[in-house]
């Protein structure tokens, strides 16, 4: 019994639901963290290594992200413990089973995440209509295809550079992960004159201090090939890329890739996390002391959820990019300036802003504790 409440604090989580269905083999967890600002909106992740703890941390990150972005949504996350590359019939069966099992949890809205995509959301839509990130044919805005999160990362980068000691044009960027977020941020930043010096995916990494050709890398990705087969660069066995000298480091793959154990190897002046919880709190503190700007993940990678919330509210695709730009730019600037003026961590400044909004929302509730 005690274990169920191990994560509780003043904000949540409101509920944790475990789902097991022997027929499909479904093992899933939903964490609805906080719903003071509206129904929880957060992705459904599929992976063999997902855990309840990770699900809770990701759900909390969504509460903060949605509040900081000024969305009328609380935070939640769902995870399915299974191989996302399993046969497609199996994947459909598992995902439909999860959606069906959570049909009555009406304060959670499904969205895509690692291991799930628009097709998965279409299956969920067939089981329960509380879902965003649908294919265009079903009225969705394909946030991964258009690069919604990457668009926010580009604007966060451009804003943060005003506080750094290098120019945008000619700046060197390392990107870990070359999926929906990684490849699109490479595309957007490259167009702004940034030089992509190293990229990695699950199968390997490639580095070239003179710059990699982004359209060629994008073509490899569209053919389903690893960036490690890119010919004009040195192949690296270590996909972490933490040792590669650069100005900007963008994690766009997994959680916990910069930790207190490896943080001193990082050679960048600016870290812009596309991935959620990619930098541990201890590593963020060390970076802060060293004068490295490590932007809070939930401030800079909110483009996807802003897009999802706009889809939910019935907005059209062309309205999305200007809103992401405005929200991410102003929040990035606010957090950097608040951190500098108050001498606090960037994350502390960001959390203060988000938590104040959540507590204000909670104060309007019948069950208010604030
Ligand atoms: P994706 O599945 O499209 O891409 C993930 C990429 O990371 C792939 O290229 C994969 O090969 C690579 N990768 C996986 N493990 C790796 C490892 N150990 N080393 C190096 N590369 C590795 O996922 P995505 O949608 O691009 O999301 C990436 C990250 O960004 C995730 O943490 C996700 O939660 C976060 N995020 C995504 C969005 C979004 O809009 N898609 C929004 C916010 C946050």
């Amino acid at each position: 019994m005690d274990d169920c409440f191990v994560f509780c604090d003043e904000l949540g989580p409101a509920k944790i639901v475990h789902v097991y269905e022997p027929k499909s083999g479904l093992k899933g967890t939903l964490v609805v963290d906080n719903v003071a600002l509206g129904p929880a909106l957060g992705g459904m992740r599929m992976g063999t290594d997902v855990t309840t703890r990770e699900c809770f941390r990701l759900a909390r990150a969504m509460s903060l992200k949605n509040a900081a972005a000024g969305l009328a949504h609380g935070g939640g996350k769902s995870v399915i413990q299974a191989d996302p590359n399993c046969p497609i019939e199996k994947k459909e069966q598992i995902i439909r089973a999860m959606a069906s099992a959570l049909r009555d949890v009406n304060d959670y809205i499904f969205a895509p995440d690692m291991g799930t995509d628009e097709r998965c959301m279409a299956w969920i839509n067939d089981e329960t209509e509380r879902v965003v990130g649908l294919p265009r044919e079903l009225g969705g805005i394909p946030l991964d295809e258009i690069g919604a999160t990457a668009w926010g990362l580009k604007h966060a980068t451009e804003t943060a550079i005003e506080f750094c000691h290098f120019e945008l044009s000619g700046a060197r960027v390392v990107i870990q992960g070359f999926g929906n977020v990684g490849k699109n941020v490479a595309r957007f930043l490259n167009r702004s004159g940034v030089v992509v010096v190293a990229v990695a995916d699950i199968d390997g990494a490639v580095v070239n201090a003179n710059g990699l050709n982004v359209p060629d890398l994008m073509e490899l990705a569209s053919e389903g090939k690893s960036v490690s087969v890119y010919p004009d660069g040195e192949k690296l066995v270590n996909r972490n890329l933490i040792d590669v000298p650069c100005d900007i480091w963008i994690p766009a793959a997994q959680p916990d890739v910069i930790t207190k154990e490896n943080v001193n190897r990082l050679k960048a002046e600016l870290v812009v996390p596309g991935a959620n919880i990619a930098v541990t709190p201890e590593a963020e503190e060390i970076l802060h002391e060293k004068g490295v700007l490590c932007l809070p993940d939930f401030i800079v990678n909110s483009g996807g959820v802003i897009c999802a919330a706009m889809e939910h509210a019935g907005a059209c695709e062309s309205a999305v990019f200007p809103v992401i730009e405005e929200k991410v730019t102003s929040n990035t600037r606010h957090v950097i300036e608040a951190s500098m003026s108050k001498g606090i961590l960037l994350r502390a400044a960001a959390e203060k802003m988000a938590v104040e909004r959540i507590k204000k929302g909670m104060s309007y509730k019948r069950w208010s504790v604030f």
Side-chain angles (χ1 to χ4, degrees), residues 45 114 143-144 149 177-181 201-202 252-253 274-276 301:
R45 178 170 293 199
M114 280 175 83
L143 62 92
D144 281 333
T149 297
F178 208 68
N180 296 311
V181 175
D201 60 27
I202 187 87
N276 296 314
N301 71 16

Side-chain angles (χ1 to χ4, degrees), residues 73-274:
H73 288 287
K77 203 85 179 182
S78 55
V79 296
I80 294 178
Q81 203 185 85
D83 179 2
N85 300 316
C86 65
I88 198 75
E89 299 77 19
K90 180 82 184 159
K91 187 167 182 174
E92 178 173 352
Q93 189 190 17
I94 292 173
I95 285 175
R96 280 184 182 275
M98 181 77 167
S100 170
L102 298 178
R103 188 176 278 140
D104 296 330
V105 183
N106 56 17
D107 50 9
Y108 173 65
I109 301 167
F110 290 89
D113 200 277
M114 280 175 83
T116 61
D117 58 14
E118 289 147 17
R119 177 153 60 158
C120 303
M121 297 306 113
W123 297 329
I124 293 171
N125 188 52
D126 198 34
E127 302 288 333
T128 161
E129 287 178 359
R130 286 187 327 277
V131 55
V132 290
L134 291 165
R136 273 203 184 90
E137 296 77 7
L138 296 180
I141 304 176
L143 62 92
D144 281 333
E145 183 188 315
I146 65 174
T149 297
W151 188 248
L153 295 175
K154 166 196 148 73
H155 288 285
T157 306
E158 292 181 359
T159 306
I161 275 175
E162 293 174 32
F163 301 85
C164 295
H165 302 95
F166 59 90
E167 301 287 319
L168 183 68
S169 178
R172 299 159 303 155
V173 65
V174 164
I175 303 174
Q176 188 203 45
F178 208 68
N180 296 311
V181 175
K183 70 179 180 216
N184 281 311
V185 77
R187 176 166 68 97
F188 293 141
L189 285 178
N190 194 231
R191 276 197 214 146
S192 303
V194 172
V195 181
V196 179
V197 292
V199 291
D201 60 27
I202 187 87
D203 296 312
V206 60
V207 56
N208 184 336
N210 296 319
L212 303 165
N213 184 299
V214 174
D216 288 353
L217 288 169
M218 301 273 303
E219 201 173 320
L220 286 176
S222 71
E223 291 166 359
K225 295 183 184 150
S226 167
V227 292
S228 61
V229 305
Y230 177 87
D232 188 17
E234 184 194 341
K235 316 263 174 287
L236 294 185
V237 182
N238 186 351
R239 295 163 307 179
N240 187 291
L241 298 182
I242 200 154
D243 300 301
V244 179
C246 62
D247 303 298
I248 310 163
W249 209 87
I250 300 186
Q254 299 252 299
D256 298 329
V257 290
I258 304 180
T259 63
K260 68 177 186 321
E261 282 76 31
N262 67 11
V263 64
N264 285 319
R265 286 161 48 197
L266 188 79
K267 298 178 180 73
E269 196 184 327
L270 173 63
V271 180
V272 188

Side-chain angles (χ1 to χ4, degrees), residues 336-358:
I336 295 173
E337 288 177 351
S339 159
M340 286 177 167
S341 66
K342 296 186 179 119
I344 55 174
L345 289 176
L346 287 157
R347 178 164 297 275
E351 283 184 0
K352 184 172 181 308
M353 175 174 73
V355 170
E356 275 173 8
R357 288 182 186 172
I358 295 170

